[in-house]
Amino acid sequence: MRRATAWVAGGAFLGAAAVGAWLLAGNKLAPSEPPAPAALNLLLITCDTTRADFIGCYGNAAARTPNIDALAAQGARFSRCTACTPLTLPSHTTILTGVYPLVHGVRQNAADRLSPAFETLAETLNRAGFTTHAIVAAFVLQGRFGLNQGFDTYSDRLQPRDDNPAAAERRGDEVCDEAIARLRENAGKRFFLWAHFYDPHFPYESTRGAEASPREAYADEIAFMDAQIGRLIGELRRLGIAEKTLVVVVGDHGEGLGDHGESEHGYFVHDTDMHVPLILWCPGVAAAGKIIDAQVRTIDLAPTVLDYLGSPSGDGLQGTSLRPLIEGRLPDLGLAAYGESMTAHSLLGLSRLRFLQQDGWKYVHSSQPALFNLRDDPREQINLAESEPQRVERMRDHLRELLQSAPPSPAADADAPPLSDEDLQRLAGLGYAGGLGPGSQPDTNAREPFEPGGDEPAAHVETIESYVRAHHLTARREFGAAETLLLDVVRKLPRASEPLHELHLALRRLNRQDEMPTICRELLALRPEAMPARLLLGELLLRDGRDEDALAEFNLALKYDPRCAAAHLNAAAVHRRRGELEAARRHYEAAVELAPRDVGALHGLAQVCMQQERYAEAAALLRRALAINPNSASMRRELEEALRRQGP
């Protein structure tokens, strides 16, 4: 990581002893460690949506995972590895940077992009002389979202298929074929190859067809992925480079499969979502059959492999090298795992979910806190928060210090590119929202409020499931069925912006968008403070040329929430259209103060300044906007005009 180095190395995280040991350990190693084996390669295999308890070596006797099991039998297996988030892009970003999402700022799929301020594992190894190659199988890991940093080649093309033109993934056999080709090309070089398998992600495919239950089809997908991993390892052996290649197999997150009422993933932080496999294999390097029961995290992967590869790593890594555990020099590093899910909050207005896991205990920080003893209650059925108040307070304090001590994230320097209709359809087919409406973007500042706010997501699990099903229906263009589900969701969660805008899109596809004002008014009659409905109603009135009525709605929105940047922006647009430049300016200035990186607010205020002949101010605003969106030709022309009119 290029930034935040001084934070960890300088000890800004000092505080509670457990937290200090957790982060300040960084990538420091135990004394008298043996030297790193010379000239190892790295093969990183990430298994998307893979629950640990669906792998044979993790205790599932029915699993068909002989190849992963063999790697565990011949290498080191971590029985308690915890992911940091139940989403593909943020989790992989942490795996490849050794930094938590609250610092690297990638919190949601397709809504964020990794900032160049952070150094990836590929960049570090490329600088050390490795050839670096990646083959990814999912739309949400395409290079546009920043993980291509440092790779000589980054294969992320998704070939359209006749049965699914908006396909969002590649099959594991296709990934494996390309990975084998890369191994053959680079067998004589020092290489880092990342192969990403997406098969266990919904929608599942099974040779048993529609007769297979979701759990059976999911297990079939894992068995298929395991076979591809076996092919890769077989090629390493055939090429004679197995003994000098460190192989890491790790999951990015798990899957609900009906446990806790959750069919898929993304909204909760149960162990079904967060407990993932982690195996290190290299003949003669990782002791055969080594089982490590100590708590570790996916954030520890980067410092661990850099330690083994003998490559210097930056002080900014938040993870810790696990090499002392693998080599038996220490039985436990005393690590605590942090994790989060912001999806229910950013999309549905429900509580943020954060957790801290240590010594077999898991504390979940939400509007209804939970505490689980994972040793006695691995399925997280018994909430001990009320009976263990001192433990809750202690873990809560550790979590608070983590959040308050984190540096502001620079991720906003690299906003994700806009998504096309096909992109949104791809996301919908996977059950993901795609940032369709205002307010759907998550908070990216690490100093977000500690108190969660909003209802507990578990109290709305059925509504969340309806929302996820609506995405799948939308992907299949079954807009009528999607409308029914979305209408139920917005009535139960009227403060949620995303479902409301998705309902609007569904009705538009059904040529019934004129029904939306009535729906918004029904919601507002029940909840006058329901901001998304108020804003959408105003936008619809504005679209119909009813400026006065639209302005009344935006002013009402500001009465309920004077800090609503979207309401200020819309009110400014109405005033500007009516030639009321001073009123427009006041609202634009308020929007810029509340959302200083909103390009629309900066651009709108700049245009008002141009109309008022305040050219120096307009130029300064346009420069700020172009720093965020440098590809805007219209803003570049306006900047040239502002500078010309400003004069020398």
Side-chain angles (χ1 to χ4, degrees), residues 22 336-338 354-358 361-363 395 398-399:
W22 165 19
Y338 166 77
R354 305 181 180 98
F355 72 86
L356 193 66
Q357 189 165 308
Q358 188 175 32
W361 290 86
K362 181 175 184 178
Y363 168 66
M395 297 186 80
H398 291 177
L399 181 61

Side-chain angles (χ1 to χ4, degrees), residues 401-416:
E401 185 153 0
L402 164 67
L403 297 174
Q404 291 181 345
S405 301
S409 168
D413 293 340
D415 297 323

Side-chain angles (χ1 to χ4, degrees), residues 428-510:
L430 301 174
Y432 294 138
L436 303 178
S440 65
Q441 300 298 322
D443 298 320
T444 56
N445 188 336
R447 303 190 190 282
E448 62 204 4
F450 179 69
E451 296 306 326
D455 292 350
E456 165 62 38
H460 297 278
V461 63
E462 293 181 1
T463 303
I464 291 172
E465 286 293 293
S466 294
Y467 184 48
V468 171
R469 287 197 300 275
H471 288 307
H472 297 314
L473 291 167
T474 298
R476 298 197 298 266
R477 300 185 179 276
E478 298 178 28
F479 298 112
E483 173 219 345
T484 301
L485 288 174
L486 289 168
L487 189 57
D488 182 60
V489 170
V490 300
R491 284 173 175 162
K492 290 177 178 174
L493 298 174
R495 293 189 179 93
S497 63
E498 196 72 15
L500 190 68
H501 281 266
E502 290 180 55
L503 175 61
H504 179 217
L505 289 180
L507 290 177
R508 190 173 70 188
R509 297 292 182 91
L510 294 167

Side-chain angles (χ1 to χ4, degrees), residues 274-489:
M274 312 307 295
H275 182 204
V276 295
L278 174 59
I279 297 166
L280 270 73
W281 178 85
C282 185
V285 175
K290 180 77 173 180
I291 300 174
I292 298 149
D293 295 322
Q295 174 73 66
V296 300
R297 304 83 50 99
T298 56
I299 196 174
D300 300 320
L301 191 149
T304 301
V305 300
L306 289 174
D307 186 4
Y308 271 107
L309 298 176
S311 296
S313 57
D315 291 328
L317 294 179
Q318 291 179 272
T320 297
S321 174
L322 304 178
R323 193 175 167 197
L325 298 176
I326 297 169
E327 296 175 348
R329 288 181 281 120
L330 288 174
D332 199 321
L333 297 176
L335 301 175
Y338 166 77
E340 65 180 37
S341 174
M342 300 293 161
T343 307
H345 172 72
S346 61
L347 299 184
L348 302 176
L350 301 174
S351 174
R352 297 178 179 88
L353 292 177
R354 305 181 180 98
F355 72 86
L356 193 66
Q357 189 165 308
Q358 188 175 32
D359 298 328
W361 290 86
K362 181 175 184 178
Y363 168 66
V364 181
H365 186 61
S366 71
S367 54
Q368 293 182 0
L371 179 71
F372 301 103
N373 183 338
L374 296 177
R375 292 191 180 96
D376 298 338
D377 179 27
R379 298 188 62 184
E380 299 169 283
Q381 300 294 313
I382 305 170
N383 184 357
L384 300 175
E386 291 187 6
S387 60
E388 292 270 0
Q390 292 181 339
R391 189 180 297 274
V392 166
E393 183 178 1
R394 189 162 60 249
M395 297 186 80
R396 175 188 171 95
D397 287 346
H398 291 177
L399 181 61
R400 182 194 298 273
E401 185 153 0
L402 164 67
L403 297 174
Q404 291 181 345
S405 301
S409 168
D413 293 340
D415 297 323
L419 301 179
S420 66
D421 288 343
E422 182 179 295
D423 294 337
L424 295 174
Q425 188 181 351
R426 285 172 167 170
L427 285 173
L430 301 174
Y432 294 138
L436 303 178
S440 65
Q441 300 298 322
D443 298 320
T444 56
N445 188 336
R447 303 190 190 282
E448 62 204 4
F450 179 69
E451 296 306 326
D455 292 350
E456 165 62 38
H460 297 278
V461 63
E462 293 181 1
T463 303
I464 291 172
E465 286 293 293
S466 294
Y467 184 48
V468 171
R469 287 197 300 275
H471 288 307
H472 297 314
L473 291 167
T474 298
R476 298 197 298 266
R477 300 185 179 276
E478 298 178 28
F479 298 112
E483 173 219 345
T484 301
L485 288 174
L486 289 168
L487 189 57
D488 182 60
V489 170

Side-chain angles (χ1 to χ4, degrees), residues 87-107:
L87 289 174
T88 295
L89 176 62
S91 184
H92 277 86
T93 303
T94 287
I95 288 170
L96 290 173
T97 62
V99 176
Y100 276 122
L102 65 98
V103 175
H104 64 57
V106 180
R107 312 295 278 276

Side-chain angles (χ1 to χ4, degrees), residues 241-289:
I241 55 175
E243 286 73 18
K244 60 179 182 179
T245 301
L246 178 64
V247 176
V248 179
V249 177
V250 65
D252 68 336
H253 59 75
E255 187 79 316
L257 296 173
D259 294 334
H260 302 281
E262 179 188 27
S263 61
E264 297 175 33
H265 62 272
Y267 292 86
F268 298 96
V269 292
H270 306 297
D271 252 22
T272 49
D273 299 304
M274 312 307 295
H275 182 204
V276 295
L278 174 59
I279 297 166
L280 270 73
W281 178 85
C282 185
V285 175

